[in-house]
Amino acid sequence: MRRFRSFGLFVVVAIVLGLASTPPAAAAPDAGSAQKFIRTLADKAVAVVKADEVPKSDRSRQLRQILRDHFDVRTIGIFALGVHRRQSTPEQISIYLEEFEDYVVYTYSTRLEKYAGETVAVTGTRPAGSSKTDIFVTSEIVRQGKEPIPITWRVRDRKGTLQVIDVEIEGTNQIVTYRQEFAAVIKRRGNGVEGLITELREKNASLQGKLASN
Amino acid sequence: MGVIVRKPAAHLNILLCAALSMSLAACGSTTQGTTSAGDTAQQANADSGDPWENTNRAIFDFNNSVDRAVLQPIARAYRDVLHEDIRDGIRNFSDNINEPVNFVNLVLQGKDVKAAQTVIRFVINSTVGIGGLGDVATNLGYPRHQEDFGQTLAVWGVGEGPYIMLPILGPSNVRDTVGKVADNFTDPFGYVIPLAGNLARTFVNGVDRRERNLETLEDIERNSLDFYAAVRSLYRQNRESQVRDGEVEGPVLDIPVYAE
């Protein structure tokens, strides 16, 4: 009887502990925190672009930090691989993801320059379909004397941490452009993800060279 | 004079257009078939909508040479020589004489409120806006609704058909190419302005468009692994968004949660 009761207690404790250790049910990020998250990200990015005194090499380093803190580079990179992911080994994928991160850092190091002096206004949110993990945050790049450029951020809650997984500008999704472009590279070069890695390396070297010579 | 020159050609072009439309309908259903076959099939053939890729790439290279040698220098000179306000005026003017085309397509798409706004807009800008040089209407609550026959066909359910790189004119697809031809017919100014005037108009439009895209295209060329594929992807996505008027939300992209 005692044994039975303690077993019963054990079960109750196990259930309670079990429930407590189960991560909270997946839910789309709430509008307020998602907007705040993009606000912070935009402020950081604007600060890096504005900082004239910061050398260009440091700018890349700072952008990489922003990218790692606020973007799910792994999800973006794996999505961009599309079907070719299945024919790749885990080693190949991790090498690819490293080159991909460099590629994003180097391209955005120059890309963001033309927005120097402009500000970002976060305008609202809308649900990402029926997604239980994602939400869209809408914003605008406010430019002097020109029409604002709308930018939509797709924010995902990954185990309690918010991360950007896609950026949409004028109806084009960055993650889709990556995937379609990479598919074309792989088709042209053959050799699966290896061909893509080679092209990413070449591009990164050339972009890095241009950044250094600026 | 221009009217007389254009009319015989017009009949010929209508026939051509009709013939193209018929083959286009076939293309449209093919594309839809691929899509409904499932996401995987679509992903595997991310470029399946480009059966003429080799030819397209050759034309793309040709276009880029012409662009570097001719169009880009002209666009830069246009920017350097003319003050931004004057360029805005020129753009407003050419946007304004294109309003009848927008109107026709809005009607064909059943967007009657926007069509009515376009008429009011055209009247306001042509008068208060001094022949369209100023865009007064936007600030009065009559924004520009840019619609072409390619978009109208899309709204009617015609698929985009194969991707096609047009010489000089740039990226398009069969549906939008047919649309471009059709818009030439519904454009009253095409009949009113003499041929030389129409050529000048097309040229100025091209230079203006190129001037606006100087930085964007430079960015894409510099940062892409495959310039051709990047342009193709951006063109398709952008057109799809235009068909939805940038307002109606498209299907939400399925981005899986990948395991660690």
Side-chain angles (χ1 to χ4, degrees):
Chain A
M1 195 57 188
R2 259 185 76 125
R3 269 181 67 182
F4 183 75
R5 259 174 60 186
S6 59
F7 178 71
L9 188 70
F10 170 76
V11 170
V12 169
V13 170
I15 288 171
V16 170
L17 285 177
L19 281 180
S21 63
T22 310
D30 75 84
S33 40
Q35 289 193 52
K36 213 174 116 192
F37 168 72
I38 293 300
R39 179 73 271 146
T40 313
L41 163 60
D43 288 346
K44 282 190 190 174
V46 166
V48 171
V49 176
K50 239 182 215 163
D52 290 334
E53 65 274 15
V54 180
K56 295 256 162 87
S57 57
D58 280 5
R59 184 176 286 179
S60 289
R61 195 178 46 77
Q62 291 177 355
L63 277 177
R64 188 183 298 273
Q65 199 53 52
I66 293 177
L67 188 72
R68 286 183 176 168
D69 291 347
H70 296 269
F71 290 76
D72 186 353
V73 182
R74 189 171 169 275
T75 293
I76 299 169
I78 290 180
F79 182 88
L81 255 192
V83 286
H84 301 286
R85 171 184 172 224
R86 273 178 248 140
Q87 292 111 44
S88 314
T89 65
E91 291 73 32
Q92 284 175 320
I93 289 182
S94 78
I95 294 169
Y96 154 76
L97 285 174
E98 275 175 35
E99 293 298 332
F100 177 69
E101 187 189 276
D102 282 357
Y103 176 61
V104 176
V105 169
Y106 296 145
T107 50
Y108 277 91
S109 295
T110 45
R111 191 166 279 168
L112 289 179
E113 268 172 42
K114 62 177 184 227
Y115 298 114
E118 283 154 6
T119 54
V120 179
V122 176
T123 50
T125 59
R126 63 183 158 84
S130 56
S131 171
K132 291 190 172 65
T133 49
D134 305 353
I135 191 171
F136 288 120
V137 177
T138 54
S139 70
E140 283 178 349
I141 296 185
V142 184
R143 305 182 298 168
Q144 271 200 325
K146 288 181 192 163
E147 275 187 40
I149 305 172
I151 298 185
T152 304
W153 312 78
R154 181 157 171 181
V155 177
R156 175 167 287 181
D157 184 336
R158 188 147 173 100
K159 295 175 182 160
T161 310
L162 297 184
Q163 285 178 315
V164 175
I165 55 168
D166 190 18
V167 183
E168 188 199 309
I169 303 177
E170 286 171 356
T172 61
N173 293 79
Q174 179 71 75
I175 203 167
V176 172
T177 314
Y178 280 141
R179 179 187 274 196
Q180 295 184 346
E181 194 184 341
F182 290 179
V185 170
I186 291 172
K187 187 189 167 203
R188 177 160 51 74
R189 286 199 76 117
N191 203 17
V193 74
E194 287 295 333
L196 177 60
I197 292 172
T198 310
E199 288 232 351
L200 280 169
R201 280 208 178 111
E202 288 166 9
K203 193 72 192 180
N204 287 338
S206 121
L207 287 171
Q208 202 181 10
K210 281 181 197 161
L211 280 174
S213 67
N214 266 345
Chain B
M1 180 65 188
V3 183
I4 302 161
V5 172
R6 280 180 66 107
K7 259 190 182 163
H11 291 292
L12 214 141
N13 280 338
I14 286 170
L15 284 174
L16 185 75
C17 183
L20 270 173
S21 305
M22 276 185 279
S23 61
L24 181 70
C27 306
S29 56
T30 320
T31 314
Q32 298 222 319
T34 325
T35 313
S36 61
D39 193 33
T40 355
Q42 198 187 3
Q43 285 162 8
N45 305 304
D47 47 6
S48 64
D50 191 4
W52 307 319
E53 181 168 344
N54 290 340
T55 314
N56 282 340
R57 278 188 187 268
I59 296 171
F60 185 67
D61 290 343
F62 167 77
N63 284 355
N64 284 332
S65 313
V66 174
D67 182 64
R68 266 186 288 272
V70 184
L71 202 51
Q72 232 185 86
I74 294 175
R76 287 192 191 281
Y78 179 73
R79 175 182 287 184
D80 292 342
V81 172
L82 295 177
H83 189 268
E84 194 175 353
D85 292 342
I86 297 174
R87 280 183 277 131
D88 283 350
I90 293 173
R91 183 174 315 157
N92 288 337
F93 180 79
S94 75
D95 280 354
N96 192 55
I97 55 176
N98 200 46
E99 293 290 5
V101 172
N102 293 333
F103 171 75
V104 168
N105 285 296
L106 284 163
V107 170
L108 290 175
Q109 292 174 37
K111 294 170 180 164
D112 44 357
V113 175
K114 286 181 179 174
Q117 283 182 335
T118 299
V119 173
I120 298 170
R121 183 183 157 77
F122 182 67
V123 171
I124 293 177
N125 280 345
S126 302
T127 52
V128 186
I130 316 168
L133 288 171
D135 179 6
V136 194
T138 298
N139 292 328
L140 292 175
Y142 302 101
R144 180 162 183 260
H145 304 293
Q146 194 273 320
E147 299 286 352
D148 52 60
F149 197 65
Q151 293 181 55
T152 299
L153 287 172
V155 169
W156 289 352
V158 179
E160 60 184 350
Y163 182 72
I164 181 167
M165 182 60 64
L166 300 173
I168 312 294
L169 297 174
S172 190
N173 53 51
V174 174
R175 179 193 68 207
D176 293 344
T177 306
V178 170
K180 260 188 220 288
V181 177
D183 283 329
N184 273 324
F185 287 104
T186 57
D187 179 10
F189 287 104
Y191 299 93
V192 174
I193 308 173
L195 185 63
N198 269 311
L199 289 175
R201 174 188 170 193
T202 308
F203 177 74
V204 171
N205 261 334
V207 172
D208 173 60
R209 204 175 64 154
R210 189 66 191 91
E211 186 273 325
R212 271 181 284 169
N213 290 328
L214 279 171
E215 281 75 23
T216 311
L217 279 171
E218 198 178 71
D219 177 318
I220 300 166
E221 182 166 17
R222 174 193 173 113
N223 289 316
S224 58
L225 297 179
D226 188 321
F227 189 24
Y228 172 83
V231 167
R232 182 177 60 190
S233 172
L234 292 169
Y235 176 78
R236 282 175 170 168
Q237 292 185 61
N238 188 255
R239 279 301 279 178
E240 214 174 285
S241 156
Q242 285 177 354
V243 168
R244 293 193 307 265
D245 290 352
E247 296 164 3
V248 188
E249 284 143 35
V252 174
L253 189 66
D254 177 28
I255 305 176
V257 177
Y258 298 107
E260 289 294 322

